[in-house]
Amino acid sequence: MKFTLSWLKDHLETDATLDQICERLTAIGLEVEDVDDKAAYKPFVIAKILTAEQHPEADRLRVLSVDAGPNVNGGKPLQIVCGAPNARAGLIGALARPGDYVPGLDVTLGVGKIRGVESHGMMCSEKELNMSDEHNGIIDLPENALVGTSFAAYAGLDDPIIEINLTPNRPDCTSIYGIARDLAASGLGTLKVPAAPALKLEGETTVGLTIDLDDEKLCPGFGLRLVRGVKNGPSPAWMQTRLKAIGLRPINALVDVTNYMTFDQGRPMHVFDAAKVKGDLTVRRATEGETVLALDTREYKLGPNNVVIADDNGVESIGGIMGGEHSGCDENTVDVLIESALWDPINIAKSGRTLGIITDARYRFERGVDPEYMVPGLDRTTELVLDLCGGTPAKEKIVGYKGFEAKTVDFPFSEVKRLTGLEVSTDESREILTRLGFTVEGQGGGTSERVSVKIPSWRPDVDGKADLVEEVMRIHGVDNIKPEPLENLGTVNGKILTTLQIRTRTAKRALASRGMLEAVTWSFIPEDQAKLFGGGSSALKLANPIAADMSDMRPSLLPGLLTAAQRNADKGYGDVAIFEVSGTYENDTPEGQRRVAGGIRRGTASINGAGRMWSNATKGGGKPVDVYDAKADALAVIEACGLPMGNVQIEQGGPSWYHPGRSGTIKMGPKVILGTFGEFHPKTLAALDVSGALAGFEIYLDAMPEPKKKATRTKPGLELSPFQVVKRDFAFVVGSEVEAGAIVKAATSADRKLITGVNVFDVFEGASLGEGKKSIAIEVLIQPVDKTLTDEDFEALTGKIVANVEKTTGGVLRA
């Protein structure tokens, strides 16, 4: 929201400086985002060319003698070299002197020599002063321009422009009058309340007006007035200057009046050329496929959700958003119809978004305009039209408006203290609300007393007690709230984050340390992808998706990561290792949202080394990623989250999107599934239109049990055995269905104190073993703790290992 300082002071009687006004605006919640105080224009003065002689060394240059008034150069003329084609004796223009910054050139002037002749400044064009794109000649002012005075003051360039960052809940401050009202309520000046226009009405508005809608909420009121005999032309300079300052292009007086009212009073208006309106006006829903050529010269296709103003010619305006080109006013307009209407904010917002139209009218109507100003706004607009264009106004037609019924809030003054901690007296609270336009009824004798507060028509955002407290707080001063320290938690370095939050951070760090890059993908995916990964239920479909291919909440992180990897591959980055820790959705209940750490590797992006590098062959890298890379990533997440790895089991096989023989499921006990990993099924990749060597995993962080509370935070001392580690190899013949993990677990449980590790190093299947048999060879690491083991000790431990494996898996030592 932009406005100039002089425009604000049309409505606010104040002696406050620009800095004080800006400081107060921010203090009351209307945050100042930018201030253009036009300081760049202050140095320029109005000067007159006394003589213009031909430059002795250049055909296109002239040597000027310039009078800049008695306060410049001691009243003596300045010598300036100029190349403008219109430079001549007697011309009055804008002078920039040495030391002045010229914004259009982005240079600071100095005394210079041009073809051997000294030049002490320059006569400026409009482009050089950033006033317009005109650069064919220097500025040519009329003879009444006073030499030696400020050019900025003459041209209206000395009026600072203030821009505030207006929040959506303050529709009353989409007008300069509303901003002035807030400042006056804060004690920074007095609000100037304009007198009601005194109009001499003659005759009736002859154009008929009806509202034909199935829902009266879509257009709660419509006002129309005919003004005969207007003379349309350019608006006056003061209005054009203000509109230009806030970024609007002046068009003609009638249109400029409506734009002026939009910003001055927050009341969007519209004007129709009465001669171009055929028959009566009707407010109705558009029919399917109906079109309108709007004022932006674009044709819009409408539907029943769009409310329009139409006549016998068809649609003349998109209600509350933009008028039509056909009935627009131009220099030939003689009779004008002035519209002042009310529209449903929700419908305006939906229509504007659907049609892709952003206008100042839509901005205000979708936030809510003052319904009680509909008729006064029509009168005020009529007054401006008469002042600028003349004419004779007719009696207005008002259809549909049933008046405003003020909302009443039961307000105890004690809420101010309870919600803000501020000690604000009852009298001050009452006075603040009254100055803001609220009607306070009841005589509260103390902060515990209740009063009834009627909400003014221009504050649709105020709904309850908390809103009233906010009004008191911001006017009393947010800076009056004393800072208070946070409550003492009673512990030093106490736990602040939840276990799930800690594990989310830990998982990200663990995966990043393994060379993976974090990605953030959409939570919405196409329906076919959702079904491919176990989702696609109707409960997880979006009612209003942002795109047709983002219709379902994702059941897995893997579709987004796979398609992201493919996009990278399509651009030449085939070796990708990416992860994401975020939410997935099993149903539409809070319990159905899971916290998952997922990742994929593509191409040769294994943990051992990625990419086409000469050293990969010797380092073990350069090979395509496989199930073991995904398994290592998944276990790294579990280990980083603090789960004892001895309680983790891995079963062969995973969900259907993985390759059945190259995937696994990670469990803790028979029921708790911690995650899955594997290489992706070719059908899955084909359905996603993804190619390449790809392996991935998902770990369910919320499935991990809470860590057990430790009795002490002190770590035990490091105990290192002085005895050498001993390795023993075993080869067991087992059934082909037996998993290697079962043998590892059985061997480890033989003696958990001595056996520190079990590794599988060979798997063999052959006819010599018999049908349905295979050999699995393991290496057992034995770490003596308190003594050197004897042969008898090793024999006993070996027998225990063999017995455990035989009992658990049915395996026997291979001969």
Side-chain angles (χ1 to χ4, degrees):
M1 176 69 185
K2 288 183 178 181
F3 54 92
T4 67
L5 182 60
S6 67
W7 200 342
L8 176 68
K9 289 187 175 182
D10 278 357
H11 303 294
L12 183 69
E13 186 70 44
T14 181
D15 295 327
T17 64
L18 175 64
D19 290 341
Q20 289 172 330
I21 290 173
C22 292
E23 184 179 348
R24 183 61 59 85
L25 283 169
T26 298
I28 62 177
L30 305 177
E31 182 181 359
V32 175
E33 196 167 63
D34 185 52
V35 178
D36 182 2
D37 63 359
K38 301 294 184 181
Y41 293 106
K42 291 179 181 178
F44 305 116
V45 297
I46 297 175
K48 182 176 183 179
I49 301 175
L50 301 176
T51 61
E53 304 294 337
Q54 182 66 46
H55 192 290
E57 299 295 334
D59 293 340
R60 296 187 178 181
L61 297 178
R62 290 179 176 81
V63 181
L64 310 180
S65 175
V66 177
D67 175 19
N71 297 322
V72 177
N73 197 33
K76 298 177 183 179
L78 295 171
Q79 179 175 280
I80 294 175
V81 178
C82 181
N86 65 333
R88 67 184 187 277
L91 182 143
I92 300 176
L95 169 68
R97 292 162 288 168
D100 292 348
Y101 173 75
V102 182
L105 300 178
D106 193 24
V107 297
T108 300
L109 295 182
V111 178
K113 279 191 176 182
I114 302 176
R115 297 286 186 94
V117 178
E118 277 195 355
S119 181
H120 296 263
M122 67 180 294
M123 299 295 289
C124 302
S125 68
E126 290 190 1
K127 184 173 184 180
E128 288 161 346
L129 297 187
N130 271 350
M131 295 173 60
S132 73
D133 293 329
E134 179 59 45
H135 62 281
N136 291 326
I138 56 179
I139 295 172
D140 190 350
L141 299 177
E143 293 182 359
N144 62 356
L146 186 59
V147 173
T149 59
S150 168
F151 173 74
Y154 175 86
L157 297 173
D158 60 342
D159 195 3
I161 300 172
I162 304 169
E163 182 175 5
I164 62 172
N165 186 10
L166 193 61
T167 52
N169 67 321
R170 292 303 306 275
D172 58 308
C173 288
T174 59
S175 71
I176 299 167
Y177 183 80
I179 295 169
R181 179 172 50 214
D182 247 31
L183 286 171
S186 74
L188 196 75
T190 305
L191 182 67
K192 299 178 183 178
V193 180
L199 304 176
K200 295 182 179 180
L201 306 178
E202 296 183 15
E204 300 287 335
T205 297
T206 54
V207 176
L209 175 64
T210 56
I211 298 177
D212 183 15
L213 291 168
D214 52 1
D215 185 355
E216 65 179 19
K217 189 171 61 175
L218 293 174
C219 181
F222 198 107
L224 191 69
R225 170 177 282 132
L226 175 66
V227 180
R228 301 179 179 89
V230 299
K231 186 177 181 181
N232 196 15
S235 57
W238 65 267
M239 181 176 284
Q240 291 195 34
T241 299
R242 285 185 173 178
L243 294 178
K244 288 178 182 177
I246 61 174
L248 295 181
R249 178 176 60 89
I251 299 173
N252 57 55
L254 290 173
V255 175
D256 292 352
V257 163
T258 63
N259 288 332
Y260 189 84
M261 283 292 294
T262 298
F263 282 84
D264 187 72
Q265 298 293 322
R267 173 67 251 186
M269 309 293 294
H270 185 64
V271 287
F272 299 91
D273 188 328
K276 299 176 183 177
V277 173
K278 183 179 180 181
D280 296 334
L281 291 179
T282 303
V283 181
R284 59 173 174 80
R285 291 183 183 270
T287 59
E288 190 64 50
E290 204 168 14
T291 62
V292 60
L293 180 64
L295 288 171
D296 61 357
T297 68
R298 293 177 56 189
E299 186 172 84
Y300 294 95
K301 188 175 181 180
L302 308 174
N305 291 328
N306 306 126
V307 178
V308 300
I309 305 169
D311 62 4
D312 293 347
N313 290 322
V315 177
E316 294 290 0
S317 175
I318 307 171
I321 297 178
M322 185 179 287
E325 177 75 15
H326 171 262
S327 58
C329 294
D330 53 32
E331 66 277 3
N332 299 315
T333 300
V334 176
D335 297 336
V336 61
L337 286 167
I338 305 174
E339 167 211 327
S340 178
L342 298 173
W343 308 98
D344 177 40
I346 300 299
N347 182 260
I348 290 292
K350 287 182 177 179
S351 294
R353 186 187 308 166
T354 303
L355 298 173
I357 304 176
I358 300 175
T359 62
D360 294 320
R362 173 195 163 184
Y363 179 86
R364 285 156 178 80
F365 278 125
E366 68 185 3
R367 284 160 174 76
V369 301
D370 181 2
E372 286 290 85
Y373 196 70
M374 184 185 79
V375 177
L378 181 61
D379 292 341
R380 172 63 177 149
T381 305
T382 304
E383 183 181 52
L384 281 173
V385 168
L386 298 179
D387 290 344
L388 304 186
C389 305
T392 303
K395 184 180 179 182
E396 72 278 2
K397 280 190 175 180
I398 306 298
V399 177
Y401 187 57
K402 297 180 179 179
F404 173 74
E405 185 175 342
K407 188 187 309 177
T408 301
V409 176
D410 184 28
F411 182 58
F413 289 114
S414 59
E415 287 292 280
V416 177
K417 170 69 174 176
R418 187 180 73 85
L419 294 180
T420 68
L422 287 172
E423 293 285 357
V424 184
S425 68
T426 300
D427 290 340
E428 184 181 353
S429 296
R430 181 191 300 274
E431 185 181 354
I432 287 172
L433 292 174
T434 302
R435 292 202 306 263
L436 287 169
F438 297 86
T439 302
V440 182
E441 298 177 344
Q443 297 297 323
T447 56
S448 62
E449 296 296 327
R450 293 174 176 267
V451 293
S452 293
V453 179
K454 285 188 177 180
I455 312 302
S457 59
W458 59 82
R459 292 302 302 270
D461 58 301
V462 176
D463 191 57
K465 293 182 291 186
D467 298 319
L468 294 174
V469 170
E470 182 182 357
E471 294 301 299
V472 173
M473 176 188 67
R474 69 184 184 87
I475 299 299
H476 176 75
V478 178
D479 53 339
N480 289 322
I481 298 177
K482 295 180 180 179
E484 295 285 345
L486 291 174
E487 181 184 353
N488 190 348
L489 299 177
T491 59
V492 178
N493 294 329
K495 182 178 177 182
I496 298 176
L497 301 179
T498 65
T499 301
L500 189 58
Q501 289 172 329
I502 294 172
R503 284 175 172 169
T504 296
R505 293 185 176 190
T506 304
K508 290 182 179 182
R509 290 173 180 167
L511 293 171
S513 69
R514 293 178 61 80
M516 304 184 78
L517 300 176
E518 185 176 6
V520 179
T521 64
W522 289 102
S523 298
F524 325 123
I525 61 175
E527 181 183 5
D528 54 347
Q529 292 186 12
K531 290 181 177 178
L532 191 65
F533 285 81
S537 68
S538 58
L540 292 177
K541 291 193 177 300
L542 298 175
N544 186 25
I546 60 176
D549 58 350
M550 292 185 177
S551 59
D552 290 56
M553 301 299 290
R554 63 184 176 193
S556 167
L557 299 178
L558 297 175
L561 293 173
L562 286 168
T563 53
Q566 186 61 40
R567 286 194 297 271
N568 278 272
D570 293 341
K571 295 180 180 180
Y573 300 96
D575 299 317
V576 175
I578 54 177
F579 74 90
E580 182 172 6
V581 182
S582 190
T584 62
Y585 306 89
E586 294 180 351
N587 53 57
D588 59 350
T589 65
E591 295 75 19
Q593 181 173 341
R594 307 293 303 272
R595 174 62 58 169
V596 181
I600 64 164
R601 294 182 184 270
R602 186 187 188 280
T604 61
S606 67
I607 189 64
N608 295 320
R612 300 168 60 186
M613 295 190 62
W614 64 272
S615 59
N616 280 342
T618 58
K619 290 185 178 180
K623 67 179 184 65
V625 295
D626 56 23
V627 61
Y628 298 107
D629 293 307
K631 175 185 174 184
D633 290 332
L635 294 179
V637 172
I638 293 174
E639 186 174 8
C641 290
L643 262 67
M645 297 305 292
N647 297 340
V648 174
Q649 301 92 41
I650 299 176
E651 294 182 357
Q652 184 177 348
S656 59
W657 49 88
Y658 291 119
H659 193 293
R662 302 174 191 169
S663 59
T665 299
I666 305 174
K667 290 186 172 182
M668 177 175 276
K671 295 183 179 180
V672 179
I673 298 177
L674 297 179
T676 60
F677 64 89
E679 298 177 29
F680 291 99
H681 199 292
K683 290 184 178 179
T684 301
L685 300 181
L688 294 174
D689 197 19
V690 172
S691 61
L694 284 152
F697 70 93
E698 283 187 301
I699 297 298
Y700 309 117
L701 300 180
D702 52 4
M704 299 180 184
E706 287 282 334
K708 294 181 180 179
K709 293 184 178 180
K710 297 180 181 179
T712 176
R713 293 181 180 271
T714 305
K715 292 184 178 180
L718 179 64
E719 296 182 2
L720 298 177
S721 175
F723 304 102
Q724 186 175 354
V725 176
V726 180
K727 300 179 181 179
R728 288 289 185 268
D729 294 344
F730 299 85
F732 294 98
V733 178
V734 295
S736 57
E737 76 283 355
V738 176
E739 296 179 354
I743 296 177
V744 171
K745 185 177 180 181
T748 302
S749 63
D751 192 324
R752 295 187 181 276
K753 184 177 181 181
L754 290 176
I755 298 174
T756 59
V758 179
N759 301 316
V760 177
F761 67 87
D762 184 55
V763 178
F764 170 74
E765 292 180 291
S768 60
L769 297 177
E771 187 176 353
K773 298 291 184 179
K774 66 180 177 181
S775 171
I776 298 178
I778 61 173
E779 176 188 63
V780 180
L781 304 180
I782 303 169
Q783 174 65 69
V785 179
D786 52 8
K787 68 175 183 176
T788 301
L789 299 181
T790 64
D791 289 343
E792 290 78 10
D793 295 330
F794 281 115
E795 288 297 329
L797 182 59
T798 298
K800 198 171 181 181
I801 292 172
V802 172
N804 272 14
V805 172
E806 183 176 359
K807 179 180 177 181
T808 305
T809 67
V812 296
L813 278 176
R814 183 178 175 186

